[in-house]
Amino acid sequence: MINILISVDSNYLDKAQTMLFSMRVHSSEDITVYLLNHSLSAASVHSFASFLKKKCHADLHEIDVHNTALD
């Protein structure tokens, strides 16, 4: 299993998708992505999760960092 922690804003979401798709192509291991989210909209997170599920066969776990020490 591969666990990945990322933190991106809307400007880098497409680049994260490319990176994760490439990982899927080059690895047969299960992938779990943890997303530290501060600025992405709910719609963007949902779209990203859908992409990961369909294209990468990966799971997404959003970690909302609003109002935390990471904010």
Side-chain angles (χ1 to χ4, degrees):
M1 169 167 283
I2 300 173
N3 293 303
I4 299 176
L5 174 67
I6 63 172
S7 180
V8 297
D9 63 15
S10 60
N11 295 316
Y12 286 89
L13 197 54
D14 60 332
K15 292 154 186 67
Q17 289 176 333
T18 301
M19 172 196 65
L20 294 165
F21 183 74
S22 178
M23 287 186 67
R24 169 49 59 209
V25 169
H26 293 88
S27 175
S28 61
E29 291 190 55
D30 292 335
I31 299 172
T32 301
V33 178
Y34 297 88
L35 171 65
L36 291 178
N37 184 22
H38 178 271
S39 63
L40 294 175
S41 68
S44 291
V45 172
H46 177 61
S47 176
F48 185 51
S50 179
F51 169 84
L52 290 175
K53 186 60 81 178
K54 290 178 184 174
K55 298 291 186 179
C56 303
H57 309 287
D59 294 316
L60 178 68
H61 297 278
E62 178 188 11
I63 303 167
D64 187 354
V65 296
H66 286 104
N67 301 318
T68 71
L70 299 173
D71 191 7

